[in-house]
C-alpha cells in the first residue's frame, strides 16, 4: 500500500523544481541576449569589403580569416597526433590504477585549467624571445597546440576507455595483435568522441585571444606572407576594432566569429551522432 508523501517533501520538491527552472530561464535569457545584441549591432555592417576586401580606407577581416586558418592548421597538425597518441598509450598500454597514471591525469587536468594568458606568456618567452621566432603565426600556432593538448588527451582517453573490453578480447581471440586491435577495433569505436574533441579544440583556437596577443603580433592590416610572418585572428580583430574606433566593424567581426563557433559546435554534434550510429551498426 502506497503512503502519501509528506506535504513538506512535496513543497521542497516543488520549490526545487521552480528554482531549477528559473535558473535555466535566466541562463538562456543571458545567452540569447548576448547573441541577439551582437547580431543586431553587427549584421548590417557585414559586406564583401569587410570579409574579402583589401585593408585600406575601410577595415577588412581578410587578414584575420587567413591568420585564423593558419593557426587552426598549425595547432591541429601538432596537437592531434600527440594528443591521440598519448591517449592511446595511457588507455591501452598502462595500468589505469597505477600511481603514474593518476599523476599524469592530475597534471593534464591542471594544465587544462590554467588561464590562457599563462600559455601566452610561455609562448612569448620561449618562441618569441628565446628561440627567435619573433611575432609569428608559427609561434602562436605552436602555443595554441600546447594549450589544447591536455583537453585532447583527456577527451580522447575517455573515449578510448569507454570502448567495451569485450571487443578487444574478441579481436585478440581472432589472432589480432595489440596494434591491429587498437587501429582496427578500438579507434573506430572511439572515433565519435575523438572527432568531437578535435572540432571543439578548433573552436577554442578560433575564439582564443590572450595567447595570440603575446605571440603573433596583432598585425591587422597586412596579409601574412607565410607562417613566419606576424598576423592576426578574428578574435584579435574584435579587440582591435573595438579599441581603435571601429565599433561597427568590431560587432560585425563578432558576428562572423559567433557564426563560426556555433557552426563548429553543430558540426561536432552532427559528427558525434553519425559516428555513434556507425558504431551501433558495426556492433
Amino acid at each position: 500500500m502506497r503512503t502519501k508523501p509528506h506535504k513538506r517533501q512535496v513543497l521542497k520538491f516543488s520549490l526545487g523544481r521552480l528554482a531549477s527552472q528559473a535558473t535555466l530561464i535566466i541562463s538562456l535569457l543571458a545567452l540569447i541576449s548576448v547573441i541577439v545584441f551582437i547580431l543586431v549591432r553587427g549584421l548590417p555592417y557585414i559586406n564583401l569589403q569587410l570579409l574579402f576586401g583589401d585593408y585600406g580606407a575601410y577595415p577588412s577581416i581578410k587578414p584575420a580569416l587567413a591568420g585564423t586558418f593558419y593557426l587552426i592548421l598549425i595547432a591541429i597538425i601538432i596537437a592531434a597526433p600527440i594528443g591521440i597518441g598519448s591517449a592511446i598509450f595511457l588507455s591501452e598500454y598502462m595500468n589505469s590504477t597505477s600511481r603514474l597514471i593518476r599523476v599524469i591525469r592530475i597534471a593534464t587536468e591542471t594544465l587544462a585549467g590554467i588561464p590562457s594568458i599563462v600559455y601566452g606568456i610561455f609562448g612569448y618567452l620561449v618562441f618569441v624571445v628565446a628561440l627567435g621566432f619573433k611575432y609569428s603565426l608559427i609561434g602562436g600556432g605552436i602555443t595554441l597546440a600546447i594549450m589544447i593538448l591536455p583537453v585532447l588527451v583527456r577527451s580522447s582517453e575517455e573515449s578510448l576507455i569507454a570502448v567495451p573490453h569485450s571487443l578487444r578480447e574478441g579481436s585478440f581471440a581472432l589472432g589480432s595483435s595489440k596494434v591491429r586491435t587498437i587501429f582496427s577495433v578500438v579507434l573506430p569505436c572511439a572515433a565519435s568522441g575523438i572527432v568531437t574533441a578535435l572540432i571543439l579544440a578548433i573552436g577554442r583556437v578560433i575564439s582564443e585571444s590572450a595567447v595570440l596577443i603575446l605571440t603573433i603580433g596583432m598585425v591587422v592590416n597586412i596579409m601574412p606572407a607565410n607562417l613566419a610572418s606576424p598576423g592576426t585572428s578574428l578574435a584579435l580583430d574584435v579587440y582591435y576594432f573595438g579599441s581603435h574606433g571601429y565599433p561597427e566593424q568590431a560587432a560585425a567581426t563578432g558576428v562572423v566569429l559567433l557564426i563560426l563557433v556555433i557552426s563548429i559546435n553543430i558540426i561536432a554534434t552532427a559528427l558525434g551522432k553519425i559516428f555513434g550510429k556507425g558504431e551501433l551498426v558495426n556492433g
Side-chain angles (χ1 to χ4, degrees):
M1 181 176 180
R2 294 184 179 180
T3 60
K4 293 183 179 180
H6 197 275
K7 291 183 178 180
R8 184 175 297 177
Q9 294 178 344
V10 174
L11 180 61
K12 287 182 179 180
F13 174 78
S14 301
L15 290 175
R17 183 176 62 181
L18 289 175
S20 62
Q21 290 175 347
T23 54
L24 175 63
I25 292 172
I26 291 172
S27 61
L28 288 176
L29 286 176
L31 175 62
I32 292 172
S33 62
V34 171
I35 295 175
V36 170
F37 178 80
I38 295 297
L39 292 176
V40 170
R41 292 293 301 271
L43 277 177
Y45 299 96
I46 294 179
N47 50 56
L48 292 178
Q49 165 59 33
L50 178 72
L51 295 175
F52 306 112
D54 294 328
Y55 200 105
Y58 297 96
S60 172
I61 62 172
K62 184 179 177 181
L65 291 173
T68 301
F69 172 76
Y70 287 140
L71 291 171
I72 293 172
L73 192 65
I74 296 169
I76 295 302
I77 286 177
I78 295 174
I82 297 176
I84 297 173
S86 300
I88 291 173
F89 178 77
L90 291 174
S91 63
E92 302 299 323
Y93 291 97
M94 296 289 290
N95 184 3
S96 60
T97 60
S98 67
R99 181 177 298 178
L100 177 60
I101 288 294
R102 292 197 296 268
V103 171
I104 293 174
R105 286 175 177 168
I106 292 173
T108 54
E109 291 172 359
T110 302
L111 289 173
I114 291 177
S116 59
I117 191 64
V118 176
Y119 286 100
I121 295 172
F122 169 81
Y124 173 77
L125 294 176
V126 173
F127 301 113
V128 178
V129 178
L131 298 180
F133 286 5
K134 299 182 180 180
Y135 290 115
S136 63
L137 293 171
I138 185 68
I142 296 174
T143 308
L144 288 173
I146 297 172
M147 186 184 71
I148 65 175
L149 190 58
V151 178
L152 284 178
V153 172
R154 291 296 295 132
S155 300
S156 301
E157 184 186 4
E158 291 297 330
S159 299
L160 293 169
I161 291 174
V163 177
H165 284 284
S166 59
L167 296 178
R168 298 176 175 85
E169 293 171 355
S171 178
F172 294 147
L174 293 174
S176 297
S177 63
K178 181 81 169 180
V179 174
R180 186 170 183 179
T181 298
I182 291 172
F183 284 95
S184 300
V185 177
V186 179
L187 281 179
C189 291
S192 61
I194 294 174
V195 171
T196 301
L198 286 172
I199 296 178
L200 294 179
I202 292 174
R204 186 173 182 184
V205 170
I206 291 174
S207 59
E208 187 55 52
S209 59
V211 170
L212 302 178
I213 289 176
L214 296 173
T215 54
I216 69 173
M218 200 166 63
V219 179
V220 302
N221 58 347
I222 300 175
M223 283 288 291
N226 50 56
L227 297 181
S229 303
T232 185
S233 69
L234 290 172
L236 291 184
D237 269 13
V238 173
Y239 168 75
Y240 179 86
F241 291 152
S243 59
H244 286 77
Y246 300 101
E248 296 84 5
Q249 285 75 17
T253 307
V255 171
V256 176
L257 184 60
L258 184 64
I259 291 173
L260 283 177
V261 173
I262 293 175
S263 301
I264 285 172
N265 282 274
I266 293 174
I267 292 171
T269 303
L271 288 177
K273 291 181 179 179
I274 291 172
F275 280 103
K277 291 179 180 178
E279 291 168 14
L280 291 175
V281 171
N282 293 331

